[in-house]
Amino acid sequence: MKSWLMLCILASWLFPVSVDHCFDPPSVNYSIVVATATEDRFLVTYSCIRGYHLEGKRELFCNKTSLEWDSPVPTCLLGHCPNPVLVNGQLNSSKLEPVSEKEVVSFKCDNDYILKGSNWSQCQQNHTWTPPLPICIPGQCEPPTKPDHGHFKTRDFKSGSNVSFHCDNGYQLIGSQSLQCMEGEWSDEPPICQAKREAPVETKEELCAFQERNNICESIQTLMQCQNENGKTLEELKYSLEIKKLQLEKIKAFMSTEIK
């Protein structure tokens, strides 16, 4: 059965003779074709008759530059809406083929899968399903990546479960400490364990550094006492004092220059 509705009467007046072959729209069984013409192109729109649905592009056009139709010809297939498909699931309907207008289909996923979307849908007058057809997604997440120098704890990897991460001694956690499995995907990227930076330790030499006070004698006495407690010989103490003396002289000379 072919049904045509041509709305391009005298269209040849609007196009040069070189594109006359575009005036014959590609034939599509069980369809209604509406054709319109403008100064630079010829457009056809396909609509399937009742009980059939369109597969492919609804509108095709030919312009005087290409002299060819811009897309492959669509087809009209049996069924008012496309047959519903649910991978890793099951659907219930009074009749699956062909699909009739206003027909309602319900959906259920197989074990270990979760339904994402509505659990029912209805075939509409415009040949579409509303709400949109759902999909079945895995009901659990893949095990997360175990961080180097660390580990994670969890009861299982099912949807809604949480996993916590911990680092070995001497390492600190960078990232989220806890992740949740949500519809087959983790809520965030797994963290990493990074080596801790140790705080600098003051050496005995630094602890015994010369600290100038108002009473210079007291400062020298304190320094000598500290050096002596750390096993320094008299010669080493003398050498340390000489170094401090030179440092003080340089500071004094610099300050004198600045004052001048």
Side-chain angles (χ1 to χ4, degrees):
M1 174 181 177
K2 293 185 179 180
S3 179
W4 299 86
L5 177 60
M6 303 299 294
L7 302 181
C8 52
I9 300 175
L10 302 179
S12 59
W13 292 3
L14 303 178
F15 278 83
V17 177
S18 59
V19 295
D20 281 353
H21 69 281
C22 288
F23 289 175
D24 295 326
S27 176
V28 176
N29 292 333
Y30 310 107
S31 71
I32 298 174
V33 182
V34 177
T36 56
T38 63
E39 293 182 357
D40 58 350
R41 71 176 186 174
F42 186 70
L43 176 70
V44 291
T45 303
Y46 294 92
S47 299
C48 295
I49 64 173
R50 188 179 183 87
Y52 290 81
H53 66 277
L54 191 74
E55 291 285 343
K57 191 175 180 180
R58 183 174 299 276
E59 295 182 341
L60 276 69
F61 74 86
C62 173
N63 59 39
K64 57 186 178 182
T65 301
S66 67
L67 302 181
E68 295 179 353
W69 296 102
D70 70 315
S71 299
V73 182
T75 56
C76 286
L77 302 180
L78 187 63
H80 189 80
C81 287
N83 291 331
V85 177
L86 185 64
V87 180
N88 299 315
Q90 304 170 6
L91 48 90
N92 297 318
S93 174
S94 57
K95 54 177 182 176
L96 300 181
E97 295 182 1
V99 176
S100 303
E101 183 181 349
K102 295 185 179 180
E103 183 173 351
V104 177
V105 178
S106 60
F107 305 94
K108 180 181 179 181
C109 291
D110 297 337
N111 293 334
D112 299 327
Y113 286 87
I114 297 176
L115 190 73
K116 186 173 184 180
S118 175
N119 64 352
W120 67 275
S121 188
Q122 185 179 45
C123 178
Q124 304 298 312
Q125 186 177 4
N126 62 356
H127 307 277
T128 63
W129 290 97
T130 302
L133 300 179
I135 60 174
C136 291
I137 61 175
Q140 64 179 25
C141 296
E142 293 293 330
T145 302
K146 175 181 171 294
D148 293 337
H149 309 290
H151 61 280
F152 60 78
K153 297 179 180 179
T154 183
R155 290 182 299 177
D156 51 54
F157 304 113
K158 294 181 180 180
S159 182
S161 296
N162 293 298
V163 56
S164 60
F165 294 83
H166 307 273
C167 293
D168 299 339
N169 291 333
Y171 292 84
Q172 60 182 356
L173 198 71
I174 305 297
S176 300
Q177 184 178 6
S178 178
L179 304 182
Q180 186 178 41
C181 179
M182 304 171 63
E183 298 184 343
E185 300 289 339
W186 292 109
S187 58
D188 202 350
E189 293 295 325
I192 61 173
C193 291
Q194 188 179 77
K196 294 181 179 179
R197 294 183 179 180
E198 295 185 0
V201 179
E202 292 182 329
T203 64
K204 292 182 179 180
E205 294 290 339
E206 293 172 335
L207 291 173
C208 292
F210 180 78
Q211 299 180 4
E212 185 176 1
R213 297 182 175 85
N214 293 333
N215 189 333
I216 189 66
C217 293
E218 182 182 347
S219 298
I220 295 174
Q221 185 178 1
T222 302
L223 175 63
M224 291 179 65
Q225 182 179 354
C226 182
Q227 296 281 13
N228 186 47
E229 290 175 354
N230 286 281
K232 297 292 185 180
T233 64
L234 186 61
E235 290 296 325
E236 289 175 330
L237 294 175
K238 181 179 178 182
Y239 176 77
S240 297
L241 290 174
E242 291 293 336
I243 296 297
K244 300 302 179 183
K245 180 180 178 182
L246 290 174
Q247 292 176 347
L248 289 174
E249 289 178 350
K250 288 182 180 179
I251 295 174
K252 183 178 179 180
F254 175 78
M255 295 180 64
S256 299
T257 304
E258 289 292 322
I259 294 173
K260 291 179 180 182

